[in-house]
Amino acid sequence: MLADDADPELAAEKLIHPQFPRSASYDPLWQGRYADGPNPLWLAESLTDLMDLAPGMRVLDLGCGWAISSIFLAKEFGVEVVAADMWLRQETWPLIVEAGVESQVMPVRVEAHDLRFARGYFDAIVSLDAYQYFGTDDLYLGYLQQFLASGGVLGIVVLGVTEELDGGPPGHLADMWTWDHKAFHSPGWWRDHLERSGPVTVEHADLVPDGWKHCLRWQELAALAAPPRARPACAEWARRLAVDAGRTIGWPRIVARKD
Ligand SMILES: C[S@@+](CC[C@H](N)C(=O)[O-])C[C@H]1O[C@@H](n2cnc3c(N)ncnc32)[C@H](O)[C@@H]1O
């Protein structure tokens, strides 16, 4: 997300936060540069606060983007990660090697409906700001769960809403709300959706605490330090998030265990 000439002090001011002490030990420019949306390390840290990951577990990071969340999981928890995305970048493997986790993180280019893993292979599946692209389908979890071991855990964090917007978005967001925002759902919606579409029990469904504030900080940084053509839209999102103040937009965080 960040342009090559982004100011390191500004990146540190916006991306280092006491709510994310593990993430804070990673170079802020690295965090900002190799992210497709509000910080994947924050999303990973928010989720792993609720998941018991132990060294040697096999984890699928589905929709990993640049795979910095996969690197984070490997370094912080000693797990083995398959970093999976349909648009794997050429920079991803060098990033993994540079981080010294090449024996723990395997990048794989795969489409979420065409996974080629053995049944029951993973102890955990995480998906950060990606599950909304494929996981709202009623049939998807029934497919995905076959790759989880019995008792294994699915953890997702997605951009979403505090409550379902049955009457449409509020006025201060209406002109920003495009067709793809239909995939923004509430924690309650995700709970019901997952429990009725696969053999799982949802153990946790809430919003990342202060998620909108973190999202706002991210957009404020992007408005100043993303590649120039992206800045106006980020500035406008920052303005709307500030007006919204967490009434509508948040980060649903869901943990479900396979029965
Ligand atoms: C918003 S990006 C988030 C990436 C990364 N997790 C992060 O937080 O920076 C969503 C990612 O999901 C991936 N994705 C979307 N649909 C997918 C699909 N059907 N199969 C595999 N990956 C998919 C995209 O390629 C993209 O990298």
Side-chain angles (χ1 to χ4, degrees), residues 38 42 159 211-220 241 251:
W42 293 342
L159 270 170
W212 71 273
K213 290 184 185 166
H214 304 308
C215 212
L216 172 60
R217 281 209 321 282
W218 179 269
Q219 296 293 359
E220 287 171 345
L241 284 164
W251 275 337

Side-chain angles (χ1 to χ4, degrees), residues 24 29 38 40 43 47 56 67 85-86 88 95 106 140 144 188 230 239 250 256:
L29 282 180
L43 304 188
L47 195 57
D85 201 290
M86 69 180 188
L88 215 55
L95 282 172
M106 182 171 68
Y140 188 69
L144 182 65
R239 200 176 72 74

Side-chain angles (χ1 to χ4, degrees), residues 35-37 40 43 63-65 85-87 89 110-113 128-130 133-134:
D36 285 327
L43 304 188
C64 66
D85 201 290
M86 69 180 188
W87 291 329
R89 271 93 166 200
V110 283
E111 203 286 319
H113 299 83
L128 306 167
D129 192 17
Y133 294 111
F134 37 82

Side-chain angles (χ1 to χ4, degrees), residues 132-175:
Q132 69 274 28
Y133 294 111
F134 37 82
T136 57
D137 179 345
D138 286 342
L139 300 178
Y140 188 69
L141 180 62
Y143 166 75
L144 182 65
Q145 59 81 25
Q146 69 183 295
F147 305 106
L148 258 185
S150 179
V153 175
L154 169 69
I156 68 172
V157 184
V158 288
L159 270 170
V161 290
T162 54
E163 301 288 342
E164 288 301 289
L165 299 177
D166 296 329
H172 61 279
L173 296 174
D175 62 326

Side-chain angles (χ1 to χ4, degrees), residues 7-254:
D7 174 5
E9 283 183 19
L10 178 67
E13 179 195 322
K14 296 292 185 188
L15 298 184
I16 302 300
H17 191 275
Q19 190 176 323
F20 304 108
R22 289 181 185 266
S23 305
S25 67
Y26 294 76
D27 175 7
L29 282 180
W30 182 87
Q31 296 184 40
R33 203 164 275 156
Y34 301 114
D36 285 327
N39 194 345
L41 296 201
W42 293 342
L43 304 188
E45 189 164 352
S46 306
L47 195 57
T48 50
D49 284 348
L50 304 171
M51 294 170 79
D52 290 327
L53 295 181
M57 279 185 169
R58 284 185 294 276
V59 179
L60 174 64
D61 183 358
L62 186 55
C64 66
W66 302 87
I68 66 168
S69 52
S70 309
I71 292 169
F72 174 88
L73 293 170
K75 287 180 87 95
E76 297 296 318
F77 301 99
V79 294
E80 314 280 325
V81 188
V82 173
D85 201 290
M86 69 180 188
W87 291 329
L88 215 55
R89 271 93 166 200
Q90 60 186 22
E91 292 90 341
T92 298
W93 180 240
L95 282 172
I96 292 167
V97 173
E98 195 181 297
V101 288
E102 63 269 40
S103 61
Q104 283 170 266
V105 180
M106 182 171 68
V108 181
R109 188 170 152 201
V110 283
E111 203 286 319
H113 299 83
D114 189 23
L115 303 175
R116 304 294 179 94
F117 305 107
R119 290 176 80 95
Y121 183 72
F122 292 104
D123 301 299
I125 297 176
V126 302
S127 188
L128 306 167
D129 192 17
Y131 199 78
Q132 69 274 28
Y133 294 111
F134 37 82
T136 57
D137 179 345
D138 286 342
L139 300 178
Y140 188 69
L141 180 62
Y143 166 75
L144 182 65
Q145 59 81 25
Q146 69 183 295
F147 305 106
L148 258 185
S150 179
V153 175
L154 169 69
I156 68 172
V157 184
V158 288
L159 270 170
V161 290
T162 54
E163 301 288 342
E164 288 301 289
L165 299 177
D166 296 329
H172 61 279
L173 296 174
D175 62 326
M176 305 286 282
W177 217 252
T178 47
W179 61 269
D180 46 338
H181 289 101
K182 289 258 187 245
F184 275 32
H185 288 290
S186 63
W189 185 93
W190 280 110
R191 173 188 288 279
D192 294 346
H193 172 67
L194 293 180
E195 287 200 330
R196 72 182 156 73
S197 54
V200 300
T201 302
V202 173
E203 294 183 341
H204 195 99
D206 71 351
L207 293 167
V208 172
D210 286 336
W212 71 273
K213 290 184 185 166
H214 304 308
C215 212
L216 172 60
R217 281 209 321 282
W218 179 269
Q219 296 293 359
E220 287 171 345
L221 172 62
L224 296 171
R229 67 188 149 70
R231 291 180 194 173
C234 298
E236 191 52 35
W237 267 112
R239 200 176 72 74
R240 303 300 178 108
L241 284 164
V243 171
D244 189 57
R247 284 176 288 161
T248 313
I249 293 180
W251 275 337
R253 164 176 74 164
I254 321 295

